[in-house]
Amino acid sequence: MTSRVEGGPPAFAAALPTPALQRFFDQPFLASSFYDMFPLVAGSGVLASLARIPLDVFAHQQGRTQAAHDVEHAYRALLQGKSTDDIHSRLRPLAGRYYDFGEWDVERQGPDRIRVVESALPIWIMPWFIPMQIGYFSGLMAAMGKPSSTVTMQSFRREGLAGAMPLVVLELAVVLRD
């Protein structure tokens, strides 16, 4: 954050619109802990604005950076040095660490294709979530030896409500390439 935002963390904290968000981002973050993802969406919007980067570009970069960190540090035993042959089965527990809402399905669809289906996602996070997920899976595949892999959104559709909040299903296609 300090390399992208003039004034670093103090400028970010001052730009957060509510005391609740300021308290959230003031806590220490540990890879082994679970955090509410929804404030991260708001914080990413603030950072993108401060860095003068469109939110989708920022989210994509954020996803790639997180994937590299996960391979090197947080989920090293699960990901580093492993082939992509069984990546679909290793992604299920990884996804569960980040998102305890909705449902996830990751399946192999041939030797070079993976399908990711994420359901019961709140529609309001999609402008951040879609590019972040594409960046994350792109970065993950690159860090695992498939740098020319492509990740594309295959479908995005509404799927009911949680109270008054519309929910959606997101489907991503990952094509593995060296």
Side-chain angles (χ1 to χ4, degrees):
M1 176 170 43
T2 56
S3 63
R4 293 188 180 174
V5 175
E6 187 176 326
F12 170 64
L16 291 168
T18 67
L21 279 173
Q22 291 169 346
R23 285 189 303 276
F24 177 83
F25 284 104
D26 193 39
Q27 70 181 309
F29 288 88
L30 304 171
S32 61
S33 298
F34 181 79
Y35 301 96
D36 185 352
M37 185 192 73
F38 298 130
L40 299 177
V41 179
S44 295
V46 169
L47 283 171
S49 177
L50 289 171
R52 294 179 176 84
I53 298 173
L55 179 61
D56 62 328
V57 173
F58 181 85
H60 189 272
Q61 293 170 352
Q62 187 179 31
R64 286 189 71 93
T65 300
Q66 186 64 50
H69 180 270
D70 285 354
V71 170
E72 289 293 320
H73 304 288
Y75 301 107
R76 185 179 191 159
L78 184 65
L79 300 171
Q80 194 177 57
K82 311 282 174 122
S83 78
T84 55
D85 293 342
D86 67 343
I87 186 68
H88 60 288
S89 64
R90 287 184 278 125
L91 287 175
R92 286 185 187 107
L94 180 64
R97 290 288 305 151
Y98 280 114
Y99 313 106
D100 70 339
F101 57 91
E103 296 181 23
W104 289 73
D105 186 28
V106 182
E107 63 184 35
R108 191 75 179 206
Q109 293 192 310
D112 65 344
R113 292 188 69 85
I114 296 170
R115 178 177 173 249
V116 180
V117 179
E118 305 165 72
S119 60
L121 301 169
I123 196 167
W124 69 268
I125 69 170
M126 291 298 107
W128 170 82
F129 192 79
I130 292 169
M132 186 277 300
Q133 286 288 276
I134 291 171
Y136 185 85
F137 282 104
S138 297
L140 191 61
M141 296 306 116
M144 296 183 70
K146 299 288 185 182
S148 297
S149 295
T150 59
V151 181
T152 55
M153 182 178 68
Q154 293 298 285
S155 69
F156 171 77
R157 63 187 182 280
R158 287 189 179 229
E159 177 198 57
L161 300 169
M165 182 178 10
L167 301 175
V168 297
V169 175
L170 174 64
E171 182 178 340
L172 301 175
V174 181
V175 178
L176 303 171
R177 294 191 180 110
D178 294 336

